[in-house]
Amino acid sequence: MSVPLTLLGLLEREPSHGYDLKRDYDSFFGRGKPLPYGQVYATLGRLARDGKVMAGEAEPGDGPERKRYVITETGATEFETWLQEPVAPEPTLQSVLFTKVVLALLLDRDAELYLDTQRAAHLRRMRELTELRRNGALVDALLADHGLFHLEADLRWIDLTAARLDALAAEVRA
């Protein structure tokens, strides 16, 4: 997730204060990992420095004075370019799951136990996401579906690797 480009997209919708940007980011994109205020303001500072946003005059409010940020033409152009580019297909050919299995085999550890433990963790997370999909708003359901599809692919890989573990062990140790 690109926080700067996401904030630019939120600003393209309407000029906003940092507080409002954080709230919107967390509402749509921060499920389980809210954006820290410090990161919001540090990112806005870099975007302003690079000419992608402009900060308005400080406005009095109930708390500290706040600035309303506005996207510039440069920021809008960068956001539009980013929005039109396809996301690089994943996964890469390096994964933590694969690395742990190979290292377990290289070190004569129980790779099958690792795969079983990982399978159980994936199934727990799938139950959580299934519940979110059932009871959440559409945004939550779509995010849950995305996660579930990735977990299903991982589970298929775990099962395939478990079935080929003896052959993989022989190849890795050779």
Side-chain angles (χ1 to χ4, degrees):
M1 166 80 63
S2 172
V3 172
L5 289 162
T6 303
L7 293 180
L8 285 174
L10 291 172
L11 284 170
E12 185 172 285
R13 182 181 60 164
E14 65 183 349
S16 300
H17 298 106
Y19 175 84
D20 297 325
L21 289 168
K22 179 196 172 0
R23 182 198 63 224
D24 290 347
Y25 181 98
D26 290 351
S27 174
F28 290 110
F29 313 111
R31 301 292 199 277
K33 190 176 180 191
L35 193 60
Y37 280 104
Q39 186 175 359
V40 171
Y41 291 105
T43 302
L44 288 169
R46 285 190 301 278
L47 290 170
R49 177 200 66 206
D50 297 341
K52 297 172 186 172
V53 301
M54 287 178 22
E57 294 297 318
E59 302 170 1
D62 292 338
E65 292 184 338
R66 304 182 326 171
K67 295 179 181 178
R68 186 176 307 273
Y69 292 86
V70 178
I71 192 168
T72 64
E73 189 173 324
T74 301
T77 299
E78 181 172 326
F79 173 73
E80 186 63 32
T81 300
W82 174 76
L83 194 59
Q84 292 178 14
E85 291 174 353
V87 174
E90 287 193 31
T92 62
L93 292 180
Q94 298 296 323
S95 81
V96 175
L97 289 173
F98 178 76
T99 301
K100 285 186 173 189
V101 169
V102 170
L103 287 172
L105 293 172
L106 284 171
L107 300 171
D108 286 324
R109 303 245 173 95
D110 191 349
E112 189 168 2
L113 176 62
Y114 165 69
L115 289 171
D116 289 343
T117 302
Q118 191 63 54
R119 182 182 296 107
H122 272 55
L123 290 171
R124 274 192 306 277
R125 183 63 178 146
M126 288 178 83
R127 283 190 292 276
E128 294 168 0
L129 291 175
T130 300
E131 184 66 23
L132 179 63
R133 183 174 62 185
R134 263 192 224 118
N135 299 318
L138 180 59
V139 169
D140 294 322
L142 288 170
L143 287 169
D145 283 338
H146 186 263
L148 283 165
F149 296 148
H150 282 272
L151 291 169
E152 287 172 2
D154 283 351
L155 283 174
R156 286 181 30 218
W157 182 87
I158 288 168
D159 290 341
L160 179 65
T161 302
R164 295 177 171 174
L165 207 50
D166 290 337
L168 179 61
E171 189 173 313
V172 166
R173 293 179 183 142

